[in-house]
Amino acid sequence: MRVAVLASGRGSNFEAIARAILEGKINAEFALLIVNRRTAEAVQRAEKLGVNWIYVDPFSFPSREDYDRRLVEILKRVGADLICLAGYNLLVSGLFVDAFPDRVLNIHPSLLPSFPGLKPHWQAVTYGVKISGVTVHLVDKGVDTGPVVAQCAVPVSPEDTPESLADKVLPWEHRLYPQVVKWFADGRVKREGRKVVVEGADYNSLPAVPALEDF
Ligand code: GRF
């Protein structure tokens, strides 16, 4: 399996995935990081890790579909077969999703379907929930609506701000996302409609469901 990551900013989830691959914890190769912002910190991380990256400027394409068509072309050329969106701030179009059926993942820092879209930590704190967390899901044509692969619960305290909650959730993102990539690499992920199942995984304990095995 060849993994590609699309990122727009800090790139800490990209680094968690790429490191896990480079360290041999995942039976996969790292194909490419694509960024849509020239200044994305993810690029410095890629340089440090010594993995391939490319900046593709969305504003030099007449439409989002044209941009995505170019990305698909690049991803196919490098042989990527699992695409991880990680802090990628553009919605991918239908043609992108259709190019990699059941092979585009996203990470969203809330327990979906609660708090999709922008500012999930602000939404969670403002709503007053006592448990938030993180979701890794397959990408479909909606916004954060695709079938859930794995989730991890994180407690919310009365003192939490969106920033402090983000700090609590992030370390779990860095464990959950590589774990899900590993499950894909090991061929253990099956989907029936909206139900995604990781074969042989433990679905009976918290905070992560399925339970983390390697990260
Ligand atoms: C993460 O919280 C991710 O879940 C969300 O945006 C943030 C990106 O962080 N979609 P990073 O760029 O991976 O450090």
Side-chain angles (χ1 to χ4, degrees):
M1 194 177 81
R2 287 177 61 76
V3 179
V5 173
L6 271 58
S8 305
R10 184 176 54 185
S12 67
N13 279 287
F14 148 68
E15 179 165 350
I17 293 167
R19 262 189 198 285
I21 292 172
L22 296 174
E23 287 168 5
K25 293 182 185 157
I26 300 175
N27 184 20
E29 287 157 23
F30 191 84
L32 182 66
L33 166 73
I34 301 183
V35 296
N36 65 321
R37 284 180 50 234
R38 193 188 290 282
T39 55
E41 196 191 323
V43 167
Q44 278 125 59
R45 294 180 192 262
E47 288 281 337
K48 222 186 265 171
L49 292 167
V51 299
N52 292 330
W53 64 272
I54 183 174
Y55 162 62
V56 189
D57 178 7
F59 298 107
S60 61
F61 293 82
S63 72
R64 180 58 49 76
E65 280 72 23
D66 289 305
Y67 181 62
D68 280 1
R69 205 169 287 120
R70 179 84 183 112
L71 297 191
V72 169
E73 231 175 73
I74 294 168
L75 290 166
K76 296 273 186 197
R77 195 181 330 124
V78 298
D81 44 20
L82 186 75
I83 319 299
C84 301
L85 311 185
Y88 183 62
N89 65 4
L90 298 178
L91 298 177
V92 294
S93 55
L95 74 88
F96 189 98
V97 177
D98 290 341
F100 304 99
D102 288 345
R103 286 294 180 276
V104 184
L105 294 170
N106 182 41
I107 188 160
H108 183 77
S110 75
L111 292 179
L112 291 171
S114 292
F115 316 132
L118 297 174
K119 300 191 178 182
H121 298 302
W122 179 86
Q123 293 187 56
V125 167
T126 305
Y127 195 94
V129 293
K130 306 302 178 242
I131 304 176
S132 192
V134 54
T135 303
V136 176
H137 64 92
L138 290 171
V139 174
D140 65 7
K141 291 168 192 173
V143 179
D144 300 327
T145 51
V148 171
V149 180
Q151 295 184 301
C152 180
V154 174
V156 185
S157 78
E159 291 77 36
D160 268 322
T161 62
E163 293 71 30
S164 69
L165 181 56
D167 290 344
K168 284 205 262 187
V169 171
L170 195 64
W172 290 105
E173 298 189 39
H174 297 162
R175 298 179 68 186
L176 194 66
Y177 215 170
Q179 179 67 77
V180 169
V181 172
K182 183 173 191 312
W183 283 328
F184 271 88
D186 293 343
R188 289 172 60 189
V189 185
K190 301 283 170 309
R191 179 170 83 91
E192 272 176 46
R194 282 206 59 93
K195 196 177 274 186
V196 178
V197 177
V198 179
E199 287 175 340
D202 169 13
Y203 280 85
N204 288 298
S205 59
L206 285 168
V209 184
L212 300 172
E213 298 170 355
D214 307 281
F215 295 93

